[in-house]
Amino acid sequence: MKPASDRKSKRVGFLHLGSLQRRLLLAALVFVTVALVVAGVAIGLILSRFVRAQLDSRLDSQLVAIAASLERGPVDTLRLGRNLDGPPFDRDRSGWYWQVRQGSHVLRSGSLEGRDLTLPDPLPRSRDPERPRPADGTGPWGDALILRILVLPQEGGSPPAILVASAPARALHGPLREAGLALAAILGVLGFCLLAGTVAQVRLGLRPLERLRRDLAEVRAGRRLRVPGKQPAEIRPLVSEVNALLDQNAANLERARTHVANLAHGLKTPLATLTLALADRDPDGTLSNLVSGMDRRVRHHLRRARAAALGGATRARTELAGPVADLRTTFDRLYAGKGLAIDLAVPAGLAVACDAQDIDEMLGNLIDNACQWGTGRVRVSARSDGAAVVVTVEDDGPGLDAVAAARALRPGGRLDERVPGHGFGLSITTELAELYGGALDLGRSDLGGLSARLTLPA
């Protein structure tokens, strides 16, 4: 059976609501995304203003050239002193147009093919009348245009001359679209690099916590007595508190064991003396049975108190091969008359996170029970099962059904009064196993008898 802390640690992953890694990465993702969006919008606006300024400058240059080339013709009409249909104003229907209107007299670029540009009505206002005014319009063929309009003042009673130069809107949006795609790609790569760096930073920053978790697991498994003090400055105070708590628990455990030992000595000695004193004064055995029952209950509850003093998990580790071999030697002698064969299949080096005395108690009860009921063969095997070790004790006796197995695990649950014993062995084994986070299960063995499956933390 896997310890509860191991099961919980597996659930606390990236998608868990309580994950520090998830919180930090989500916060970084939000901040990086917001920063990139703001940067993209700001850079886009700057690019738009830059491209628009370049476009306006080109149109303004065309207007200045037109204004400088205007001359008075016959009947006081305007005319151009030179041809201004240079590139890109020489391409028909290209959106690059210019036009001069004075009253009903109109001069236009060849790209207009004789058509007129429609001006906004009223004309946009300008703080500086001598500078061109920006406007948006639509060309003769329905294409969107960017306009620059320059109004020349009246001269000699003639109406003002309105000079217009236009560029297609795609001349602005096309470069912006291309620059925007390149900018988006660059910002995407930058965002990926920032997030990758954030992931590396978060994992590097949280690595001491994972190392601390492993150190605590080693303390819990008995491979360390204390958490190493060499830690980052931020975690060092926590490690100091944990080590202080471990030291305090160890001291409390030692005191509890001492008190239990003193209590055991103080109770068992008078009971043993009383048993000897009643040997010749209790013909029918009534008082001896009462004293024996008291002794059984005292031993049972003292075992529970000693196990409870461990506080559930323990920091001791015990290899199974040695204790199991010693128990086989003991029970070979006790049950020599039955001719039992006790087979062992316990790998060397296989250890459990349990106190050695409790291992002797639990396995001794199980092997004793198997030897009592077995007729010729008892088998003890052990194997690793993830974070747990499973010890199986089997016999070739009559076995138990489900109801009888459940009754046998209760304190005092003796199934046959003819067999020596007090009925506390299996229940004590169950209680000890549960205190360590393990379990005891009874079932049917392939040998024909009972199979006791004891699960303990590795």
Side-chain angles (χ1 to χ4, degrees):
M1 177 178 294
K2 296 182 179 180
S5 61
D6 292 343
R7 295 194 300 268
K8 290 180 181 178
S9 65
K10 288 189 176 181
R11 291 196 297 265
V12 182
F14 175 72
L15 297 179
H16 193 268
L17 292 177
S19 170
L20 288 177
Q21 180 175 258
R22 179 177 182 270
R23 291 182 181 181
L24 293 174
L25 290 179
L26 285 180
L29 177 62
V30 171
F31 291 143
V32 169
T33 302
V34 171
L36 292 178
V37 169
V38 171
V41 172
I43 295 174
L45 291 176
I46 294 173
L47 286 175
S48 177
R49 295 187 63 179
F50 177 78
V51 175
R52 180 63 184 261
Q54 295 295 315
L55 199 60
D56 290 345
S57 176
R58 187 168 190 176
L59 295 177
D60 291 349
S61 298
Q62 182 71 13
L63 291 177
V64 170
I66 294 173
S69 300
L70 285 177
E71 299 176 351
R72 292 287 175 181
V75 296
D76 203 28
T77 58
L78 293 176
R79 66 181 182 181
L80 291 176
R82 59 190 178 92
N83 182 18
L84 295 177
D85 284 346
F89 295 94
D90 58 345
R91 298 195 296 267
D92 295 342
R93 302 186 184 187
S94 62
W96 295 93
Y97 312 126
W98 60 264
Q99 175 179 285
V100 179
R101 176 181 292 276
Q102 185 180 40
S104 59
H105 184 64
V106 179
L107 299 175
R108 61 180 68 84
S109 62
S111 56
L112 281 171
E113 297 181 351
R115 300 193 182 190
D116 293 338
L117 285 175
T118 302
L119 301 181
D121 189 18
L123 294 177
R125 296 183 179 181
S126 175
R127 295 181 181 180
D128 187 358
E130 296 182 358
R131 293 181 60 84
R133 309 171 190 180
D136 295 326
T138 303
W141 294 276
D143 48 337
L145 300 178
I146 296 173
L147 305 178
R148 296 289 287 180
I149 303 173
L150 178 62
V151 180
L152 299 180
Q154 300 176 352
E155 293 183 3
S158 60
I162 302 175
L163 283 64
V164 183
S166 71
R170 63 177 179 275
L172 172 64
H173 302 314
L176 286 180
R177 186 180 302 109
E178 294 178 3
L181 292 177
L183 176 63
I186 293 173
L187 291 179
V189 173
L190 177 61
F192 176 79
C193 294
L194 289 175
L195 288 179
T198 302
V199 170
Q201 181 181 8
V202 168
R203 292 192 173 181
L204 182 64
L206 295 180
R207 187 174 297 172
L209 293 179
E210 175 61 22
R211 186 165 56 247
L212 177 60
R213 185 197 67 79
R214 291 196 300 266
D215 291 338
L216 287 173
E218 290 186 354
V219 171
R220 181 180 180 276
R223 290 185 287 269
R224 291 180 183 268
L225 294 179
R226 305 176 87 249
V227 179
K230 188 178 180 181
Q231 302 286 346
E234 294 79 5
I235 299 180
R236 204 173 298 142
L238 173 62
V239 172
S240 299
E241 292 296 329
V242 170
N243 284 333
L245 179 61
L246 291 174
D247 294 339
Q248 182 180 355
N249 285 344
N252 292 338
L253 176 61
E254 187 62 31
R255 284 195 294 269
R257 285 178 170 173
T258 301
H259 291 324
V260 170
N262 292 337
L263 180 60
H265 180 73
L267 289 175
K268 289 192 292 183
T269 300
L271 287 174
T273 303
L274 185 58
T275 301
L276 293 175
L278 292 176
D280 299 329
R281 302 180 185 181
D282 186 25
D284 58 356
T286 302
L287 295 178
S288 297
N289 289 336
L290 290 176
V291 174
S292 177
M294 292 172 59
D295 182 61
R296 290 196 304 268
R297 284 164 177 79
V298 167
R299 289 176 182 273
H300 169 64
H301 289 291
L302 285 177
R303 290 190 186 98
R304 291 192 61 184
R306 180 173 61 81
L310 296 174
T314 182
R315 287 181 284 157
R317 288 187 65 80
T318 303
E319 290 195 8
L320 292 175
V324 172
D326 293 340
L327 288 172
R328 178 173 67 173
T329 301
T330 300
F331 288 110
D332 276 340
R333 294 174 182 174
L334 289 177
Y335 293 94
K338 294 185 67 172
L340 291 173
I342 303 178
D343 301 328
L344 302 183
V346 180
L350 186 62
V352 292
C354 301
D355 184 78
Q357 296 181 8
D358 293 328
I359 289 294
D360 291 338
E361 181 78 19
M362 290 184 284
L363 295 182
N365 288 333
L366 296 180
I367 297 175
D368 185 25
N369 184 76
C371 290
Q372 286 184 10
W373 293 98
T375 59
R377 187 181 177 191
V378 173
R379 183 170 62 197
V380 182
S381 60
R383 60 180 176 84
S384 177
D385 185 16
V389 172
V390 179
V391 182
T392 306
V393 180
E394 304 168 274
D395 61 69
D396 58 353
L400 297 174
D401 57 25
V403 176
R407 187 152 56 97
L409 294 177
R410 294 198 299 266
R414 297 183 61 192
L415 301 179
D416 192 342
E417 297 293 337
R418 297 171 297 177
V419 178
H422 308 304
F424 287 89
L426 293 180
S427 65
I428 291 175
T429 301
T430 301
E431 292 168 0
L432 286 174
E434 290 176 350
L435 286 172
Y436 285 100
L440 174 63
D441 300 310
L442 301 181
R444 177 67 66 175
S445 168
D446 57 5
L447 298 179
L450 183 67
S451 173
R453 187 173 182 267
L454 178 65
T455 304
L456 297 172

